[in-house]
Amino acid sequence: MSNCEQCIVREFSALKTLTKDEVVSMSKCKTASTIKKGEALFVEGENVNGVFCIKEGVCKMTKLSANGKDQIVKLTQRGELLGQRSLISDEPANLSAIAVEDMEVCFIPKSEILGFFNNNNAFSMSVMKSVCGDLREADDTLVNLAQKNVKERLAQTLIYLEDNFGVFEDKSLKLQLSREEIASIIGTATESCIRLLSEFKKAGLIELQGKKITILDKVKLKRIIE
Amino acid sequence: MSNCEQCIVREFSALKTLTKDEVVSMSKCKTASTIKKGEALFVEGENVNGVFCIKEGVCKMTKLSANGKDQIVKLTQRGELLGQRSLISDEPANLSAIAVEDMEVCFIPKSEILGFFNNNNAFSMSVMKSVCGDLREADDTLVNLAQKNVKERLAQTLIYLEDNFGVFEDKSLKLQLSREEIASIIGTATESCIRLLSEFKKAGLIELQGKKITILDKVKLKRIIE
DNA sequence: GCTAATATATGACATTTGTCATATAATTTT
DNA sequence: AAAATTATATGACAAATGTCATATATTAGC
């Protein structure tokens, strides 16, 4: 059992506010596990009963729409906590969490987290800030979906992927999503997404090679967003 | 100066968790004011430095998009608190709050609220739940904007307005928004909104009379949403 | 009550986006 | 390596939505 003390998640999440004793206590009750690409950490409607720490990998938070299509609401990565909202609201998850890369996670049971809330005000405030950050991002995404057209949203998403998940040595995006997944982020049909990617390629903005996407002209791409 | 003890906002918001002493302290530092329809409580980018309690009236939370159009992200009404996110994140407001009806509000300064956070864990948890509720709603709205078409979103918004703000004796919606405001909720052009309202009217789903909108056939309207 | 200003309504048309069909490429299975 | 499966790509067309022009109704100011 590895010690939580040195974990990357402690560096970036609300867990940074825990005392040494609290970290020791958490180390004892956590459960580590590996999640393969495509597998779910939890699904919409499920009682999560705790929080996941993402040590490695990226997952998509999705919600099933009435028309049967999944909408990607958010991407969550290494260093972040998952399932806070559900725990605080004491409700089943309103989103599913599906790995888009192989992941390493730890599960911390609800009782442990509630203990931190009761005894450590800094932790409460830190989690609250994190949820507020999520709310702000959700509001921004919402406005983009409502006010920008599909081309603008695609350009924005490509830049978001480069800025937040980085590029390989060959400049291609590290996070390799399927066309369907990209379409599900921007809220459009897969065909429309593919068509616009082709259009961007013809215009020399990006390069496509299988799943690899490389941004060639970020400036022009940004100009599309406005 | 009226006493906060009996205020409607205490009944419905996180303020219900305050102790008697805390309420007395809050009564002393609050500032009551009247906001006319169309006036702003605060605007995007502004430092709010406190929280507003809505004693009466409804306001729209809007965000200016890059294309110059305002998007309504949320409607907030009597009994609710405003500006929590901004206070917790210690950031300027990311949304503007504009009265859509005459309002009566009280302003509670930041220092007072921070005191409650430090001394009253139930208050912290209650605010956290409220923000989590907002996050859940934002996620739902986001998915609707991405996956439903304009007609479905309009039908849904009409039902939302009836369910959440009620109707007059003549069954018309109590909250009278302009066509432009309705368009700004569903994220479409004002003309498209007007056209679809006409279509609903022709189909016998609603009745239009100036600003008055009356839902005639809620069942069929719900069927449109799916 | 009249005038001006604003909001609502509708037509005409262009553009965007979705859907279905089909082709090609990439990946997985055997 | 071949076959089968799945993902990506593209064409053709329909449907949805946006834009601009203009008409009519409603509201506000005098």
Side-chain angles (χ1 to χ4, degrees):
Chain A
M1 185 176 77
S2 76
N3 194 317
C4 296
E5 184 69 36
Q6 306 300 329
C7 178
I8 172 101
V9 184
R10 276 208 66 214
E11 219 174 299
F12 291 110
S13 76
L15 301 181
K16 66 174 175 288
T17 62
L18 296 183
T19 64
K20 297 224 162 166
D21 285 353
E22 284 169 334
V23 174
V24 170
S25 163
M26 182 171 70
S27 291
K28 283 180 189 150
C29 69
K30 72 153 199 277
T31 343
S33 60
T34 301
I35 312 286
K36 287 263 166 61
K37 177 174 172 174
E39 287 176 0
L41 280 113
F42 52 82
V43 296
E44 214 179 322
E46 188 180 324
N47 276 92
V48 186
N49 289 320
V51 158
F52 288 94
C53 304
I54 308 183
K55 280 193 290 185
E56 198 55 63
V58 177
C59 76
K60 55 181 177 182
M61 312 297 298
T62 68
K63 190 171 164 64
L64 193 63
S65 165
N67 62 20
K69 283 185 196 160
D70 268 322
Q71 173 69 26
I72 296 182
V73 170
K74 179 178 159 59
L75 293 170
T76 309
Q77 65 177 315
R78 190 174 120 100
E80 294 189 80
L81 290 183
L82 219 64
Q84 309 171 74
R85 198 212 63 83
S86 172
L87 187 147
I88 295 163
S89 300
D90 202 25
E91 288 171 353
N94 65 323
L95 303 173
S96 301
I98 317 283
V100 295
E101 291 178 341
D102 290 353
M103 299 179 78
E104 281 177 49
V105 301
C106 283
F107 179 78
I108 303 164
K110 187 170 181 167
S111 56
E112 186 76 7
I113 301 288
L114 289 180
F116 299 157
F117 278 137
N118 287 326
N119 303 316
N120 186 337
N121 208 273
F123 179 74
S124 301
M125 288 304 287
S126 186
V127 169
M128 219 181 316
K129 278 195 188 186
S130 161
V131 176
C132 284
D134 286 350
L135 178 57
R136 192 202 168 112
E137 275 180 33
D139 285 345
D140 288 347
T141 305
L142 186 159
V143 174
N144 282 333
L145 283 167
Q147 298 284 345
K148 291 196 200 302
N149 64 29
V150 177
K151 193 187 286 186
E152 290 163 353
R153 267 139 58 197
L154 176 58
Q156 188 162 44
T157 298
L158 292 174
I159 287 175
Y160 165 80
L161 291 175
E162 178 167 305
D163 289 350
N164 287 274
F165 300 95
V167 294
F168 289 114
E169 315 74 51
D170 65 353
K171 312 274 188 191
S172 70
L173 300 181
K174 266 195 185 162
L175 186 64
Q176 296 192 348
L177 300 173
S178 68
R179 303 292 190 264
E180 192 179 2
E181 283 170 329
I182 297 175
S184 165
I185 291 175
I186 66 184
T188 191
T190 307
E191 295 95 324
S192 298
C193 175
I194 289 173
R195 223 179 288 275
L196 287 170
L197 281 172
S198 299
E199 195 182 311
F200 284 178
K201 183 185 174 183
K202 270 182 203 129
L205 302 176
I206 62 172
E207 196 176 288
L208 299 174
Q209 226 165 109
K211 256 196 171 54
K212 280 209 296 194
I213 299 177
T214 313
I215 292 180
L216 299 177
D217 195 336
K218 202 166 177 177
V219 175
K220 274 192 191 159
L221 218 45
K222 276 189 180 163
R223 214 172 287 150
I224 287 176
I225 310 173
E226 284 175 326
Chain B
M1 184 176 76
S2 75
N3 194 318
C4 297
E5 185 68 35
Q6 306 299 329
C7 179
I8 173 100
V9 184
R10 276 208 65 213
E11 219 175 299
F12 292 109
S13 76
L15 300 181
K16 65 175 174 288
T17 63
L18 296 183
T19 63
K20 298 224 162 168
D21 286 354
E22 286 169 334
V23 174
V24 170
S25 163
M26 181 172 70
S27 290
K28 283 180 188 149
C29 69
K30 72 154 201 279
T31 345
S33 59
T34 300
I35 313 286
K36 287 263 166 62
K37 177 176 171 171
E39 287 176 1
L41 279 115
F42 53 81
V43 296
E44 212 180 323
E46 188 180 324
N47 276 91
V48 185
N49 289 319
V51 158
F52 287 93
C53 305
I54 308 183
K55 280 191 290 183
E56 197 56 61
V58 178
C59 77
K60 55 180 178 184
M61 312 297 297
T62 68
K63 189 171 165 66
L64 193 62
S65 165
N67 62 19
K69 282 185 197 162
D70 268 322
Q71 173 68 24
I72 297 182
V73 170
K74 178 181 160 54
L75 294 170
T76 309
Q77 66 179 314
R78 188 174 121 100
E80 295 189 79
L81 290 182
L82 219 66
Q84 308 172 75
R85 197 211 63 85
S86 172
L87 186 147
I88 294 163
S89 300
D90 202 25
E91 289 171 353
N94 65 322
L95 303 173
S96 300
I98 317 282
V100 295
E101 292 177 341
D102 290 354
M103 300 179 78
E104 279 177 51
V105 301
C106 282
F107 179 79
I108 302 164
K110 186 170 183 167
S111 55
E112 186 75 6
I113 301 288
L114 289 180
F116 298 158
F117 278 136
N118 287 327
N119 303 314
N120 185 337
N121 209 274
F123 180 73
S124 300
M125 288 305 286
S126 186
V127 169
M128 220 182 310
K129 278 193 187 187
S130 161
V131 176
C132 284
D134 286 351
L135 178 57
R136 191 200 169 112
E137 276 180 33
D139 285 345
D140 288 347
T141 305
L142 187 159
V143 175
N144 282 334
L145 283 167
Q147 299 284 346
K148 290 195 198 307
N149 64 30
V150 177
K151 193 187 285 187
E152 289 162 354
R153 268 140 55 197
L154 176 59
Q156 187 161 43
T157 298
L158 292 174
I159 287 174
Y160 165 80
L161 291 176
E162 177 166 304
D163 289 350
N164 286 275
F165 301 95
V167 295
F168 289 115
E169 315 74 49
D170 65 353
K171 313 272 187 190
S172 70
L173 299 181
K174 265 194 185 162
L175 187 64
Q176 296 193 348
L177 300 173
S178 68
R179 303 293 190 262
E180 191 179 3
E181 284 170 328
I182 297 175
S184 165
I185 292 175
I186 66 184
T188 192
T190 307
E191 294 95 324
S192 298
C193 175
I194 289 172
R195 223 179 288 275
L196 286 170
L197 281 172
S198 298
E199 195 182 312
F200 284 177
K201 183 185 174 184
K202 270 179 204 132
L205 303 175
I206 61 172
E207 195 176 289
L208 298 174
Q209 226 166 107
K211 257 198 171 54
K212 279 209 295 195
I213 298 177
T214 313
I215 294 180
L216 299 177
D217 194 337
K218 202 167 177 175
V219 176
K220 275 193 192 161
L221 218 46
K222 276 188 180 164
R223 213 171 289 150
I224 288 177
I225 309 174
E226 284 174 329

